[in-house]
């Protein structure tokens, strides 16, 4: 699949693979301006001539939406992976125009009436499940986008939408800039005592990039950043407690002071969200958010989180007491936890995370991951580097085939680039599956995914040597990618992850993480990067034993984030007696063991809920983890050593969860795979928290 010749402005191509080698920031404003002008004309024509049928309404509207999604999707992607001042300026300049057009489109009365007529027509019963779900979602989304508002209320709603979009972009940029702004140069050997070779190599490489030409892993200087591959190993292994405190405090106070301060943005975002929900007739933003989700109510979410809090709190408290005893101190501070947890893990399981790195070079991990996909989903994955333009030289491109026929493609952007790439890991949609007409013939457009991670880059002549956590992250994002790529739905509005309720969308990704502990999968990829020797059996047993190490603490942390998010969007009153930080500190009393420090401004970098799609939805990770753990339990029940049964179960998972996308409600999809509704038992068992 090769990008075709582009028009004068590559952002107006509108189809095929993005020509990343031709796109520049100066294309954005003229390109999107022209595109919006053309789409405005198309929309007006459609409104004037719409007929309430699939062919007369949904197909032309999909075509219009897909053109916009193609061009704007490229720009949004580059904002995450290739951020620059020029790109930001162009993005911020054109974003208001895009929001105005999106409001105009989602609030179109003629289209809304046509959807309602189609739903009420005699042809409704003859439509496929996917078509019905797309129409129902269009009606719901129009109503949640203010189609029923008029006059001043509509004007206010649209102004708020515009401001919210601008605030989200600013929030994200502030986090990126604040992360980038912190650099700590270490020059004395005792400042880096305890740090592993991999960290010293990365820190000296960063120092060279900062102008210290003679920096070496052995002699320094070493530059520490708040980028995760630099920050977290330092917290785990750095022996200098004063430096750990300094770095920890810098991390938790990111984007909370000075020019990058997100505090006023948080206040305003919450205010506007509450206003928007009230304009639409909801009591609060959490209710509005859940109108699009699998969970039936805020109470149902709080019940699940409450159940998980009850089992994880005491376990987390015990984790902390054990750590204090191990460290032989009553003064265990937040900047000590990762350090002593790693020492305790070493003592308890006789290994540390760094020892495993040589066994997880990225090329081998990819072999193992692709081998698993071939084994349980009957797909073949092969590199096709050079056949697609990329945005950065390290980006890879792969083909996914079934029975020798290509069915999808994906980009892999694996390495951390703190200067231009936002933190975390994600999957995004480059091209979605759908029927398209080419030269008068209908054919299926194959899906293409972006898989983005922020793992340790290659250092000097070594490949990227991954921590086990980075391995599970890659498997996680690949799970999202599989749902996007293995869909069999031909309608873009319900293919892959489209139209999958947000709190079910983590099912496939979290499901894939479980395979990192599967013997056949692990030994298929864990091979020493120099000798090719497989991971020693003792390490595998230690990994299994350590799987639930401090799992109560890990679960409680996620519940803390989920409940803070829910409270801010449900009960919190903007302008009331409590600030957002007060809310967080109050909830911390029952959802953390160590209370947040006074300077802890975690909310100021909580991009998931203030600049991502997780507002009043962070609980989705735990909601979906119940589904994913129960799904993996289906494989455990038939026996992970029983190859025939594992393959049969894998094919069933592929043909339901991965194939059906948003064509059916997530509960129906889960039941099609599992034969029943989900239970929490598997999640608690996998976490080592099931009461015996």
């Amino acid at each position: 699949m090769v990008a075709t010749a582009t028009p004068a402005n590559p952002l107006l191509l509108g189809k095929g693979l993005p020509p990343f080698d031709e796109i520049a920031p100066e294309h954005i404003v003229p390109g999107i301006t022209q595109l919006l002008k053309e789409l405005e004309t198309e929309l007006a024509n459609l409104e004037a001539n719409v007929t309430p049928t699939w062919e007369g309404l949904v197909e032309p509207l999909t075509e219009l939406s897909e053109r916009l999604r193609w061009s704007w999707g490229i720009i949004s992607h580059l904002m995450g992976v290739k951020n620059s001042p020029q790109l930001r300026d162009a993005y911020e300049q054109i974003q208001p125009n895009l929001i105005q057009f999106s409001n105009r489109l989602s609030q179109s009365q003629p289209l809304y009436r046509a959807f309602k007529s189609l739903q009420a027509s005699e042809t409704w019963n003859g439509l496929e499940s996917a078509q019905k779900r797309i129409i129902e979602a269009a009606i719901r989304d129009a109503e949640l986008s203010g189609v029923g508002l008029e006059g001043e209320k509509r004007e206010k709603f649209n102004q708020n939408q515009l401001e919210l979009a601008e605030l989200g972009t600013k929030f994200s940029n502030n986090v990126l800039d604040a992360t980038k702004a912190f650099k700590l140069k270490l020059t004395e050997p005792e400042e880096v005592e305890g740090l592993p070779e991999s960290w010293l190599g990365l820190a000296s490489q960063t120092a060279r990039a900062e102008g210290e030409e003679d920096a070496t892993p052995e002699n320094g200087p070493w530059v520490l950043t708040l980028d995760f591959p630099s920050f977290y190993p330092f917290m785990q292994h750095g022996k200098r407690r004063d430096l750990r405190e300094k770095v920890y405090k810098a991390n938790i106070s990111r984007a909370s002071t000075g020019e990058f301060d997100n505090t006023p943005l948080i206040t305003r975002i919450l205010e506007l969200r509450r206003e928007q929900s009230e304009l639409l007739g909801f009591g609060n933003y959490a209710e509005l958010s859940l109108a699009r989700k699998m969970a039936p109510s805020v109470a149902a979410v709080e019940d699940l989180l409450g159940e998980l809090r009850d089992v994880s709190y005491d376990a987390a408290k015990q984790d902390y007491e054990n750590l204090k005893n191990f460290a032989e101190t009553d003064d265990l501070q937040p900047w000590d936890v990762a350090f002593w947890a790693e020492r305790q893990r070493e003592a308890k399981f006789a290994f540390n995370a760094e020892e495993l790195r040589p066994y997880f070079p990225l090329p081998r991990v990819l072999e193992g991951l692709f081998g698993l996909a071939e084994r349980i989903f009957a797909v073949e994955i092969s590199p096709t580097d050079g056949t697609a333009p990329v945005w950065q030289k390290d980006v890879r491109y792969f083909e996914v085939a079934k029975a020798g026929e290509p069915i999808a493609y994906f980009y892999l952007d694996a390495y951390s680039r703190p200067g231009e790439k936002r933190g975390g890991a994600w999957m995004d949609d480059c091209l979605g599956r759908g029927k398209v007409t080419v030269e008068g013939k209908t054919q299926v457009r194959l899906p293409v995914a972006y898989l983005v991670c922020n793992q340790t880059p290659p250092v000097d002549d070594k490949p990227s040597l991954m921590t086990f956590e980075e391995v599970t992250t890659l498997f996680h994002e690949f799970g999202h990618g599989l749902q996007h790529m293995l869909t069999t739905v031909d309608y873009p509005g319900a293919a892959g992850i489209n139209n999958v309720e947000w709190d079910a969308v983590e099912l496939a990704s979290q499901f894939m993480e479980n395979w990192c502990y599967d013997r056949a999968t692990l030994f298929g990829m864990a091979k020493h990067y120099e000798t090719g020797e497989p991971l020693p059996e003792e390490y595998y047993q230690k990994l299994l034993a350590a799987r639930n190490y401090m799992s109560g603490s890990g679960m409680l942390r996620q519940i803390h984030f989920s409940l803070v998010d829910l409270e801010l969007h449900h009960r919190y009153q903007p302008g009331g007696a409590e600030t957002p930080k007060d809310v967080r500190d109050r909830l911390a009393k029952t959802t953390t063991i160590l209370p947040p420090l006074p300077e802890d401004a975690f909310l100021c970098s909580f991009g998931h809920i203030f600049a991502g799609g997780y507002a009043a939805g962070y609980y989705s990770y735990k909601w979906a983890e119940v589904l994913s753990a129960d799904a993996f339990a289906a494989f455990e029940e038939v026996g992970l050593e029983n190859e025939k049964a594992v393959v049969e179960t894998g094919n069933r998972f592929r043909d339901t969860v991965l194939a059906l996308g948003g064509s059916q409600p997530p509960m129906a999809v889960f039941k099609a795979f599992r034969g029943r509704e989900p239970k929490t038992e598997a999640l608690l068992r996998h976490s080592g928290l099931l009461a015996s």
Side-chain angles (χ1 to χ4, degrees):
M1 190 191 285
V2 181
T4 52
T6 59
N9 189 317
L11 287 173
L12 293 174
L13 179 62
K15 61 185 179 184
L17 290 176
F20 287 112
D21 51 347
E22 299 175 28
I23 295 167
E26 54 265 29
H27 290 125
I28 293 173
V29 173
I32 299 299
T33 301
Q34 185 180 331
L35 177 64
L36 292 177
K37 195 176 172 186
E38 291 172 10
L39 295 181
E40 184 65 55
T41 303
E42 283 181 31
L43 177 57
N45 288 338
L46 179 58
E47 287 177 324
N49 302 295
V50 68
T51 54
T53 63
W54 184 264
E55 297 75 14
L57 168 62
V58 184
E59 287 182 358
L61 184 57
T62 299
E63 202 172 306
L64 186 155
S65 303
E66 290 281 297
R67 279 183 63 200
L68 180 59
R69 180 173 169 158
W70 188 90
S71 302
W72 191 248
I74 293 168
I75 299 166
S76 300
H77 173 67
L78 290 173
M79 280 286 284
V81 296
K82 203 75 179 164
N83 203 293
S84 70
Q86 297 84 352
L87 185 66
R88 277 185 197 188
D89 289 346
Y91 184 93
E92 287 165 16
Q93 194 179 329
I94 203 68
Q95 188 182 33
N97 303 33
L98 180 97
I99 301 297
Q100 284 164 2
F101 178 77
S102 298
N103 286 340
R104 157 97 173 80
L105 179 62
S106 57
Q107 294 171 351
S108 167
Q109 290 282 353
L111 298 187
Y112 176 69
R113 286 194 296 268
F115 273 115
K116 294 288 280 184
S117 296
L118 177 52
Q119 190 183 37
S121 70
E122 291 180 6
T123 59
W124 176 255
N125 290 336
L127 295 175
E128 296 171 32
S129 166
Q131 293 174 301
K132 288 180 178 177
R133 287 257 300 167
I134 288 167
I135 293 161
E136 287 165 348
I139 292 168
R140 178 201 65 206
D141 290 347
E143 289 168 354
L144 298 182
S145 299
V147 73
L149 300 177
E150 291 174 0
E152 282 182 19
K153 283 189 174 180
R154 176 180 283 210
E155 204 173 305
K156 181 66 179 160
F157 184 90
N158 290 348
Q159 281 174 355
N160 288 355
Q161 289 291 85
L162 187 58
E163 190 178 348
L164 278 166
E166 289 169 352
L167 289 169
T169 302
K170 182 87 170 101
F171 186 100
S172 190
N173 287 341
N174 281 348
V175 175
L176 184 68
D177 289 343
T179 304
K180 196 165 57 171
F182 179 89
K183 290 184 179 72
L184 183 62
K185 186 164 88 168
L186 305 173
T187 56
E188 300 301 322
E190 54 99 22
E191 292 176 316
V192 296
E193 191 184 346
L195 287 154
E197 275 182 39
S198 60
W199 188 92
L200 297 171
L202 178 63
S204 60
Q205 185 168 278
T206 306
R208 290 195 296 275
E210 291 289 316
E212 299 283 349
E213 293 176 13
D214 300 326
T216 64
E218 298 76 24
N219 302 318
W222 305 271
V223 171
L224 166 66
T225 71
L226 295 181
D227 203 44
F228 196 80
S230 176
F231 162 76
Y232 195 64
F234 188 84
M235 297 308 297
Q236 286 180 303
H237 302 288
K239 289 190 176 179
R240 276 280 298 270
R241 192 183 190 215
D242 58 328
L243 291 178
R244 290 203 312 268
E245 178 180 358
K246 182 176 184 175
V247 175
Y248 178 85
K249 287 182 173 177
N251 191 57
I252 59 167
S253 59
R254 270 183 307 160
S256 66
T257 56
E259 59 178 319
F260 307 134
D261 188 1
N262 275 334
T263 310
L265 275 63
I266 289 172
T267 305
R268 185 63 179 148
I269 287 169
L270 292 171
E271 203 175 277
L272 288 169
R273 284 177 179 165
R274 163 105 19 191
E275 244 178 58
Q276 295 299 75
S277 54
E278 288 171 353
L279 282 167
L280 294 173
F282 291 91
N284 53 67
Y285 189 81
E287 290 176 9
L288 167 58
S289 173
L290 262 61
R292 288 188 169 100
K293 293 183 172 65
M294 184 181 178
S297 64
V298 174
V301 174
E302 290 184 329
D303 284 348
L304 173 69
L305 295 175
E307 180 188 342
L308 297 179
R309 194 212 77 92
D310 289 347
V311 295
S312 60
Y313 187 85
D314 288 345
K317 195 170 183 182
Q318 191 59 55
D319 287 342
Y320 180 66
E321 290 302 320
N322 293 345
L323 211 53
K324 271 202 313 188
N325 293 337
F326 179 81
E328 299 179 348
T329 179
D330 280 330
D331 181 33
L332 196 69
Q333 294 297 328
W335 50 88
D336 300 320
V337 171
F339 178 82
W340 285 108
E342 196 55 31
R343 303 292 77 74
Q344 188 183 43
R345 187 203 304 268
E346 289 167 6
K348 204 169 179 173
F349 306 109
F351 82 104
N352 67 45
E354 288 297 315
E355 285 175 56
L356 296 182
R357 274 192 198 266
Y359 292 97
F360 292 114
L362 176 61
R364 294 276 194 190
V365 172
L366 290 176
E367 276 180 34
L369 176 56
F370 299 164
L372 172 68
E374 187 166 345
R375 180 182 155 220
I376 62 175
F377 302 134
V379 295
E380 309 95 45
I381 300 168
S382 50
T384 49
D385 299 305
T387 63
V390 293
W391 53 92
Q392 209 272 346
K393 62 181 174 58
D394 294 325
V395 174
R396 305 282 314 274
Y397 191 62
F398 295 89
E399 175 190 273
V400 182
K402 192 174 177 188
E405 287 296 312
I407 58 168
Y409 296 85
F410 66 94
Y411 299 90
L412 174 64
D413 185 351
Y415 311 131
S416 160
R417 293 191 300 278
E420 60 182 19
K421 187 179 180 183
R422 69 178 165 91
W426 64 94
M427 189 287 293
D428 211 346
D429 171 340
C430 173
L431 298 176
R433 182 182 169 100
K435 287 178 183 168
V436 291
T437 304
V438 179
E439 296 175 359
K441 290 182 182 174
T442 301
Q443 60 187 57
V444 174
R445 178 184 62 209
L446 300 182
V448 180
Y450 299 121
L451 298 187
V452 184
C453 296
N454 261 294
Q455 67 197 49
T456 310
V459 175
D460 299 328
D461 57 346
K462 293 178 182 175
S464 173
L465 300 178
M466 303 169 70
T467 63
F468 188 67
E469 191 172 348
E470 288 173 342
V471 173
T472 57
T473 297
L474 177 62
F475 271 63
H476 178 104
E477 299 310 331
F478 192 68
H480 282 308
L482 286 170
Q483 188 166 22
H484 175 68
M485 296 185 289
L486 301 193
T487 187
T488 54
V489 179
D490 288 337
Y491 304 108
I497 61 170
N498 288 332
N499 212 27
V500 176
E501 280 76 352
W502 194 266
D503 42 5
V505 87
E506 297 291 337
L507 194 176
S509 55
Q510 292 178 150
F511 164 82
M512 286 298 291
E513 290 183 40
N514 291 285
W515 291 99
C516 295
Y517 292 93
D518 170 55
R519 172 180 285 277
T521 306
L522 191 73
F523 282 104
M525 64 181 171
K527 295 186 173 69
H528 197 282
Y529 79 101
E530 287 177 318
T531 65
E533 287 294 310
L535 184 76
E537 174 69 25
E538 63 176 302
Y539 276 126
Y540 175 57
Q541 295 304 329
K542 289 170 182 177
L543 262 179
L544 291 180
R547 182 177 186 179
N548 294 326
Y549 174 61
M550 295 188 74
S551 62
S553 302
M555 184 179 286
L556 190 65
R557 182 171 179 269
Q558 289 295 91
I559 289 160
H560 172 65
F561 295 160
S562 301
L563 286 170
V564 169
D565 166 41
L566 208 59
E567 187 80 358
L568 287 174
H569 291 104
H570 183 47
R571 295 184 186 88
Y572 165 72
Q573 295 291 336
E578 281 188 314
T579 65
K581 188 180 186 312
D582 293 336
V583 171
R584 193 242 169 149
D585 290 345
R586 169 167 56 82
L587 288 174
K589 290 173 184 170
T590 54
T591 56
T592 63
I593 305 303
L594 272 177
L597 298 174
E599 60 266 60
D600 190 330
F602 159 72
L603 290 176
C604 289
S605 59
F606 198 1
H608 274 78
I609 70 168
F610 294 116
Y614 282 87
Y618 196 84
Y619 77 88
S620 299
Y621 283 106
K622 281 296 160 207
W623 189 273
E625 202 176 350
V626 171
L627 305 176
S628 66
D630 202 358
F632 188 73
F635 291 81
E636 294 174 317
E637 286 161 17
V638 300
L640 290 170
E641 306 296 322
N642 183 342
E643 189 63 15
K644 185 170 179 285
V646 164
V647 169
E648 284 172 0
T649 310
N651 287 347
R652 193 168 76 248
F653 187 84
R654 179 198 65 204
D655 295 339
T656 52
V657 176
L658 300 180
L660 296 174
S663 66
Q664 294 181 24
M667 185 62 83
V669 173
F670 184 88
K671 285 164 78 173
F673 168 65
R674 201 68 172 97
R676 59 164 173 75
E677 292 198 358
K679 299 174 182 175
T680 57
E681 185 264 339
L683 172 60
L684 297 177
R685 178 167 51 80
H686 289 167
S687 305
L689 297 171
L690 195 63
S692 52

